[in-house]
Amino acid sequence: MAISDIRLLKVFHCVAAEKGFAPAAARLGLSEAAVSRAMSDLEARIGLRLCTRGRGGFMLEPDGEFVLQAAQRLMNAMDDVSDQLRGYRLGMKGELRLAITESTLSDHKNRVSEHIARFKARAPDVRIELIVLPPSGVRASIRDGRAHVGFLPAHSRADDLDYHELHRERMSLYCSQGHPLFGRICNMEDICAAEIASPDYLLSDRLGVHGDKLRIVSRTNSIEGIGILVMTGSYLGFLPDHLALHWVQQGQLQELMPEVFSYHIRFCAIARSDRKDSRLIRSFLRELSGPGPELPDE
């Protein structure tokens, strides 16, 4: 099919949609005479009468109905090709591998699902793979190439990774119903005497001088692990407020000395600094908010 045929079919498609030559001419920015000539040329080329117009108004002939359906399929196919070419130009083909830390679904500030949905609508041919890992696993998956973009609370910054802050989440110190401090008004001496379950990264930089006084006796690589240890009633532990909220409302967890032991951490998207050449990764990162924040070195 020649380009001139496609142009004539587009004019016919508009005429049928607008139900007349005059409104189609206005929509296309052409004269009514130009639209009429285009329709005559199309009918001559395909050897079919497509429509009638007169005192009774505009009406498609049966052959015109058939050609209109064919023209609609052609318009749809051209739109699909245009979208595919645009997607390819923007780097929106292939597989996007994401890694996210566990225990994030309860955080109402977390909009990762929205970012993925928006990107998927814009790039329907991109395959999304998502793995859930502890924070150390998210960083490792980015470094070894198992994932392209990671999402995690960024307690520190590494030089080989780019950071894009998404929001901040509040961490607080909790004990469970079976702990001796549960139901009590605690002081610093009580907290410092208690055994604490900690993640496998240091807390002292977040808590200042108080962090060095804590009795960290058990470590785990995940927030879920801390929650399990706290629920034993033997340990205190730092948990995201959004994760602890359900058990606080159920009377099973209690926040301790929030004026001292609560702190905020940046929830970030991370990517390898040397993967900036990937158009697919750059396209996804543009869906996220803002440049990477300044964090203390890892």
Side-chain angles (χ1 to χ4, degrees):
M1 178 175 287
I3 294 176
S4 59
D5 294 330
I6 294 175
R7 183 184 66 82
L8 294 176
L9 283 171
K10 284 184 175 181
V11 172
F12 169 57
H13 185 269
C14 186
V15 166
E18 297 294 331
K19 296 181 171 57
F21 287 20
R27 179 176 169 183
L28 294 170
L30 301 173
S31 67
E32 189 172 348
V35 170
S36 181
R37 283 195 302 273
M39 289 295 297
S40 297
D41 289 347
L42 179 61
E43 289 177 330
R45 287 186 66 83
I46 63 178
L48 298 172
R49 184 169 176 79
L50 303 179
C51 62
T52 57
R53 61 171 180 159
R55 293 181 179 179
F58 174 85
M59 183 177 67
L60 282 177
E61 297 289 346
D63 289 340
E65 294 281 1
F66 177 83
V67 174
L68 177 61
Q69 293 177 16
Q72 183 63 63
R73 290 194 295 271
L74 176 63
M75 301 299 110
N76 293 341
M78 291 177 64
D79 288 342
D80 288 343
V81 170
S82 178
D83 288 343
Q84 291 172 19
L85 291 175
R86 182 168 58 251
Y88 181 79
R89 178 175 56 84
L90 296 174
M92 309 250 246
K93 297 283 290 182
E95 182 177 75
L96 181 65
R97 300 190 298 275
L98 307 176
I100 189 168
T101 190
E102 81 287 292
S103 305
T104 59
L105 195 57
S106 57
D107 187 357
H108 71 279
K109 294 181 181 178
N110 192 319
R111 299 174 55 222
V112 172
S113 294
E114 295 177 30
H115 293 309
I116 295 174
R118 210 166 43 240
F119 181 75
K120 186 62 178 172
R122 204 160 56 83
D125 293 331
V126 173
R127 299 185 304 277
I128 302 291
E129 179 180 314
L130 179 68
I131 53 176
V132 179
L133 298 166
S136 58
V138 172
R139 286 191 295 271
S141 71
I142 298 299
R143 286 183 169 121
D144 64 21
R146 282 177 294 151
H148 298 130
V149 179
F151 300 92
L152 78 170
H155 293 266
S156 59
R157 178 170 184 158
D159 291 338
D160 61 334
L161 300 176
D162 287 335
Y163 291 76
H164 304 258
E165 182 177 333
L166 302 179
H167 66 275
R168 300 195 179 198
E169 66 178 26
R170 185 174 181 263
M171 302 284 291
S172 298
L173 184 64
Y174 290 92
C175 71
S176 70
Q177 196 170 25
H179 196 277
L181 296 183
F182 189 86
R184 288 180 47 188
I185 299 176
C186 302
N187 56 36
M188 186 66 66
E189 185 177 348
D190 294 326
I191 302 297
C192 293
E195 295 186 339
I196 294 180
S198 170
D200 57 359
Y201 43 79
L202 297 177
L203 292 169
S204 57
D205 61 333
R206 299 289 164 183
L207 301 172
V209 296
H210 303 300
D212 294 328
K213 300 176 183 178
L214 301 178
R215 288 185 60 206
I216 298 174
V217 298
S218 181
R219 291 191 180 274
T220 176
N221 68 344
S222 72
I223 292 296
E224 293 282 359
I226 295 173
I228 290 171
L229 291 174
V230 170
M231 283 298 191
T232 66
S234 300
Y235 304 94
L236 309 183
F238 288 89
L239 296 170
D241 286 356
H242 62 82
L243 179 64
L245 179 61
H246 171 75
W247 287 277
V248 171
Q249 292 174 337
Q250 296 295 317
Q252 297 180 52
L253 284 181
Q254 176 185 338
E255 185 180 2
L256 302 175
M257 297 188 68
E259 70 281 1
V260 175
F261 291 107
S262 291
Y263 63 94
H264 287 84
I265 53 176
R266 299 172 174 94
F267 191 87
C268 295
I270 62 172
R272 261 171 47 182
S273 300
D274 61 355
R275 294 300 297 270
K276 292 179 181 178
D277 59 332
S278 168
R279 290 182 296 171
L280 178 59
I281 296 173
R282 288 203 312 270
S283 296
F284 181 72
L285 289 175
R286 280 197 292 269
E287 293 290 348
L288 310 179
S289 58
E294 289 298 322
L295 300 172
D297 292 335
E298 188 173 69

